[in-house]
């Protein structure tokens, strides 16, 4: 006996005798089984037989039809079950109660989550919004509905409690009072009262932002009381401050009394902020700590799964100076002639990140670039004491440029910025195009063997300035080629290679163990082609927000 895919009901459902070609049973018990299914089967079998057997098969088909009519039971079709959401909506319409509409809204929201990233998500979210609105028509103070619609609760009593909370800084309390007055004046007609507000207004959005910061300060205070990291961070900060105060340079700014620095802990970082007569140390630590946490939230999701890298426990020291003049003083503590050209740097020997206040975007790029060096160093913790100096310079600086050159996208659902690494760096393109025209680029083989200790030597030689600049630019370019070029065709190999670098392997032999299958000559040719294409795109204005736009036809 064999099975056959029934041509009528499209199921592999009919058992038939291979000798007689007659159907014996409908295996699936599908309610779609009918005599016509069996007749269709017999006709198909008839068409597939030898010409000489057509008469017999026709007779068999007729016999099969008669047998089916006589013996096939009539199977009633099961009633169609209603969608639970449809039933819940019918119930809500009938009862018109807040509880019933809450159930409908929650079911729509669950569907939105399951449709995430598709057009169905938008449809389900809109349906959920309508259901939550129905809840508020019946229960105007329902907190769950207000929160789900993104509304913000304004409660003067909450502010009074926050003002009395020792875990919330004076700066934040001051900001909360200003926001309170703006809400009352702009949204509540001058009367301070408990009310839900739409987050679309700038006053409500600012109130919500400050409330979140206050709650975060409370959580941090609780963590400090229960987590030994806080004491470790404070001790690490004190050691750095003692080191700075022991130097011949004073970092005590005019108008500041007491200590020159203040220490803040935000796991896994310890931030040592230079004090100023204008204050704002808490705000600076908060904002810069947020940027560093954003770097980790960008770095590890891309690399940790395949490389095994995990966030360091800390404390990771970050020294924040108030301006370029203070940074210059720091750089020239031991040598007054040290050239100062950067917005910050990372010190592998002390694991210290040193940066200064400037423009917000420049600060973020510097923190992402130099902070990446810190995270790579942490990932290489088992690679040996001289690991950094032995590392291929193109990777060391290229990976830092890859994360340092990032774009931001607002996540409307989670209400936060997302950072996308690996955007196109226009300055590096200019350097690469000019070096290619001069014929001064490293060959790929030379670039792979150029280590950090070579850079340390060359940067002291003014005649090698072009070599150093090319090493930076080609490092970014090679990382971009391997991670992003042509829709990331080498990306999986690149991440495998990153794992080798994290394990302390580096140089040409390490590179060829992963990319040798493509051939160094072929990769070098593609690298040069990429430089030409990116240079042309930049001239034509086809690089927008770090992304390559298609050429006009």
């Amino acid at each position: 006996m064999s099975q056959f895919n029934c041509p009528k009901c499209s199921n592999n459902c009919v058992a038939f005798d291979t000798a007689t070609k007659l159907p014996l049973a409908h295996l699936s018990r599908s309610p779609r089984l009918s005599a016509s299914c069996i007749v269709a089967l017999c006709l198909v079998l008839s068409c597939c037989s030898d010409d000489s057997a057509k008469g017999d098969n026709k007779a068999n088909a007729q016999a099969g039809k008669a047998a089916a009519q006589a013996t096939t039971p009539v199977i009633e079709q099961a009633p169609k079950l209603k969608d639970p959401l449809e039933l819940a909506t019918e119930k809500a319409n009938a009862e018109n109660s807040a509880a019933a509409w809450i159930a409908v809204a929650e079911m729509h929201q669950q569907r939105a989550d399951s449709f995430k990233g598709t057009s169905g998500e938008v449809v389900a979210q809109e349906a959920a919004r309508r259901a939550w609105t129905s809840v508020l028509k019946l229960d105007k103070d329902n907190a769950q509905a207000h929160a789900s619609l993104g509304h913000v609760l304004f409660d003067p009593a909450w502010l009074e409690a926050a003002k009395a909370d020792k875990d919330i800084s004076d700066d934040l309390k001051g900001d909360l009072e200003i926001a309170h007055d703006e809400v009352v004046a702009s949204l509540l007609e001058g009367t301070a009262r408990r009310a839900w507000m739409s987050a679309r207004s700038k006053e409500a959005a600012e109130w919500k932002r400050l409330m979140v910061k206050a709650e975060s300060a409370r959580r941090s205070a609780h963590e400090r009381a229960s987590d030994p990291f806080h004491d470790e961070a404070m001790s690490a900060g004190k050691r750095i401050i003692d080191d700075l105060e022991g130097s011949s340079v004073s970092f005590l700014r005019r108008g500041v009394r007491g200590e020159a620095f203040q220490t803040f802990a935000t796991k896994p970082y310890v931030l040592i902020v230079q004090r100023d007569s204008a204050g704002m140390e808490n705000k600076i630590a908060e904002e810069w700590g947020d940027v560093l946490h954003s770097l980790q939230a960008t770095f590890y999701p891309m690399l940790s799964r395949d490389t095994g890298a995990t966030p360091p426990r800390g404390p990771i020291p970050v020294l924040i100076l108030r301006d370029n003049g203070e940074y210059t003083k720091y750089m020239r503590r031991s040598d007054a002639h040290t050239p100062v050209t950067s917005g910050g740097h990372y010190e592998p020997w002390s694991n210290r990140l040193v940066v200064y206040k400037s423009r917000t975007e420049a600060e973020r790029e510097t923190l992402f670039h130099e902070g990446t060096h810190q995270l790579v160093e942490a990932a290489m913790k088992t690679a040996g004491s001289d690991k950094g100096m032995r590392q291929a310079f193109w990777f060391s600086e290229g990976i830092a440029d890859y994360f340092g050159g990032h774009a931001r996208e607002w996540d409307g659902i989670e209400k936060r910025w997302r950072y996308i690494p690996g955007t196109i760096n226009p300055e590096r393109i200019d350097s690469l195009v000019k070096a290619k025209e001069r014929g001064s680029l490293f060959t790929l083989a030379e670039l792979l063997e150029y280590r950090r200790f070579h850079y340390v030597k060359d940067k002291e030689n003014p005649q090698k300035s072009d070599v150093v600049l090319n090493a930076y630019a080609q490092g970014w370019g090679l990382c971009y080629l391997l991670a992003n070029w042509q829709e990331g065709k080498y990306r999986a190999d690149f991440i495998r290679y990153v794992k080798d670098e994290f394990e302390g392997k580096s140089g040409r032999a390490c590179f060829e163990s992963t990319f040798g299958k493509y051939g160094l000559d072929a990769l070098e040719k593609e690298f040069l082609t990429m430089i030409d294409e990116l240079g042309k795109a930049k001239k034509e204005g086809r690089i927008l927000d770090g992304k390559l736009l298609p050429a006009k036809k």
Side-chain angles (χ1 to χ4, degrees):
M1 186 167 64
S2 302
Q3 285 182 226
F4 187 82
N5 187 17
C6 177
K8 199 72 177 178
C9 68
S10 302
N11 288 321
N12 190 22
C13 60
V14 179
F16 63 96
D17 188 287
T18 52
T20 66
K21 305 293 192 297
L22 286 177
L24 300 179
H26 195 280
L27 300 182
S28 71
R29 301 186 180 277
S30 166
R32 288 184 291 180
L33 174 64
S34 66
S36 59
C37 287
I38 299 177
V39 170
L41 169 63
C42 294
L43 290 174
V44 169
L45 292 173
S46 176
C47 292
C48 296
S49 301
D50 294 334
D51 290 342
S52 61
K54 282 184 178 178
D56 291 339
N57 285 336
K58 185 175 181 182
N60 287 339
Q62 292 171 344
K65 180 176 180 180
Q69 292 172 339
T71 63
T72 303
V74 177
I75 302 175
E76 294 295 329
Q77 188 162 352
K80 183 180 178 182
L81 295 177
K82 280 192 174 182
D83 181 356
L85 178 56
E86 185 180 347
L87 291 172
T89 305
E90 288 178 359
K91 180 181 178 183
N93 281 317
E95 292 182 5
N96 200 30
S97 67
W101 281 113
I102 288 172
V104 172
E106 289 176 338
M107 292 175 77
H108 277 301
Q109 194 56 59
Q110 289 170 0
R111 295 205 173 179
D113 294 341
S114 66
F115 291 147
K116 201 168 187 67
T118 70
S119 58
E121 178 185 10
V122 177
V123 174
Q125 284 179 339
E126 177 58 25
R129 189 193 66 77
R130 290 195 300 269
W132 287 122
T133 302
S134 296
V135 173
L136 291 180
K137 288 178 180 177
L138 299 162
D139 180 4
K140 66 179 183 179
D141 289 324
N142 189 282
Q144 184 182 1
H146 279 296
S148 298
L149 290 169
H151 297 169
V152 181
L153 177 63
F154 178 77
D155 188 352
W158 180 91
L159 175 61
E160 292 306 311
K163 287 162 63 176
D165 194 331
K166 67 182 188 306
D167 295 326
I168 298 175
S169 69
D170 291 340
D171 286 343
L172 182 51
K173 289 174 182 176
D175 290 343
L176 281 164
E177 288 196 80
I178 293 171
H180 169 276
D181 294 344
E182 289 179 348
V183 167
V184 171
S186 301
L187 303 180
L188 300 180
E189 301 175 345
T191 303
R193 65 181 189 276
R194 188 178 186 276
W196 286 95
M197 308 175 293
S198 168
R200 292 178 182 176
S201 69
K202 66 178 183 180
E203 294 86 0
E206 177 64 2
W207 177 255
K208 181 178 180 180
R209 185 183 73 82
L210 294 173
M211 285 179 63
V212 170
K213 287 178 69 173
E215 294 302 329
S216 176
R218 285 171 171 156
R219 285 195 303 273
S220 296
H222 175 73
E223 290 172 3
R224 286 196 297 271
S226 57
D227 189 342
F229 168 81
H230 179 263
D231 290 340
E232 294 170 11
M234 292 298 112
S235 296
K238 186 177 185 306
R239 287 194 296 272
I240 291 172
I241 293 171
D242 289 345
D243 174 54
L244 294 173
E245 290 180 346
S247 68
S248 58
V249 177
S250 173
F251 291 96
L252 187 65
R253 288 171 69 81
R254 182 177 297 176
V256 173
R257 295 181 179 180
E259 299 290 334
F261 295 93
Q262 187 172 353
T263 303
F264 302 87
T266 174
K267 194 173 185 176
Y269 295 98
V270 52
L271 298 102
I272 302 95
V273 183
Q274 188 178 25
R275 296 178 63 224
D276 186 83
S277 58
M280 308 291 282
E281 288 81 19
N282 282 281
K283 188 179 289 287
I284 292 169
E286 250 179 66
E287 291 175 354
W288 290 42
D290 286 347
V291 172
L292 289 165
H293 285 123
S294 295
L295 167 61
Q296 290 207 21
T298 306
F299 183 89
Y300 288 106
M302 177 179 170
L303 298 176
S304 63
R305 187 184 68 180
D306 294 313
T307 66
T310 56
R313 184 186 175 280
I316 305 174
V318 181
L319 177 63
I320 303 172
L321 301 168
R322 284 301 180 126
D323 56 38
N324 185 40
E326 298 292 339
Y327 180 70
T328 300
K329 280 200 299 186
Y330 179 90
M331 293 294 289
R332 292 178 174 170
R333 286 176 301 156
S334 55
D335 183 353
H337 302 290
T338 299
V340 181
T341 58
S342 66
H345 68 278
Y346 169 64
E347 299 173 353
W349 58 88
S350 67
N351 196 31
R352 188 182 301 174
L353 180 59
V354 185
V355 285
Y356 64 87
K357 288 284 295 173
S358 58
R359 293 179 298 106
T360 300
E361 186 175 346
E363 291 168 359
R364 192 176 69 246
E365 288 178 1
T366 299
L367 283 172
F368 264 61
H369 180 104
E370 302 301 337
T372 298
H373 284 311
Q374 239 177 0
L375 298 183
V376 170
E377 185 77 10
M380 296 175 64
K381 58 183 176 291
T382 61
S385 58
D386 62 341
K387 55 198 172 189
M389 297 301 285
R390 290 186 287 107
Q391 191 167 51
F393 187 80
W394 77 266
F395 176 80
S396 175
E397 290 301 328
I399 195 75
D401 257 0
Y402 184 83
F403 284 96
H406 57 268
R408 292 199 306 171
E409 288 183 357
W410 181 251
D411 187 328
I413 297 174
E414 298 192 11
K415 307 298 182 187
R416 67 182 181 90
W417 288 106
R418 289 191 179 278
Y419 294 86
I420 299 92
T423 56
I424 296 171
N425 187 322
E427 292 180 7
R428 299 300 190 210
I429 293 173
D430 289 342
S431 297
L432 290 169
V433 169
K434 290 174 183 176
K436 186 172 182 289
E437 290 172 350
R438 291 194 306 264
S440 62
L441 288 172
F442 286 92
T443 66
L444 182 55
E446 291 169 342
L447 183 67
L448 297 176
E449 283 300 323
Y450 189 78
R451 311 291 182 122
R452 181 162 287 278
F453 61 78
H454 293 122
Y455 158 78
V456 170
K457 180 180 178 182
D458 287 346
K459 74 173 183 175
E460 302 298 327
N461 184 349
Q463 296 180 346
K464 292 290 188 80
S465 59
D466 283 348
V467 172
V468 170
L469 183 61
N470 288 350
Y472 272 100
Q474 287 186 249
W476 169 81
L478 188 52
C479 274
Y480 185 81
L481 173 78
L482 300 177
N484 282 32
W485 185 242
Q486 293 185 350
E487 300 183 351
K489 65 180 183 179
Y490 298 120
R491 175 175 281 216
D493 287 317
F494 177 64
I495 292 177
R496 281 193 289 273
Y497 174 77
V498 171
K499 183 176 187 293
D500 286 341
E501 286 282 356
F502 286 175
E503 292 174 354
K505 304 167 190 173
S506 204
R508 178 173 176 172
C510 175
F511 186 89
E512 286 192 300
S513 69
T514 299
F515 295 102
K517 59 189 175 185
Y518 302 109
L520 285 194
D521 291 342
L523 281 173
E524 184 163 28
K525 183 178 179 180
E526 188 170 10
F527 182 64
L528 297 175
T529 299
M530 184 190 76
I531 293 173
D532 292 338
E533 290 188 21
L534 292 178
K536 182 182 178 183
K538 186 172 182 292
K539 275 187 178 180
E540 294 173 352
R542 291 192 290 109
I543 296 176
L544 182 64
D545 296 330
K547 295 179 181 178
L548 180 63
L549 303 180
K552 295 180 180 179
K553 295 183 180 179

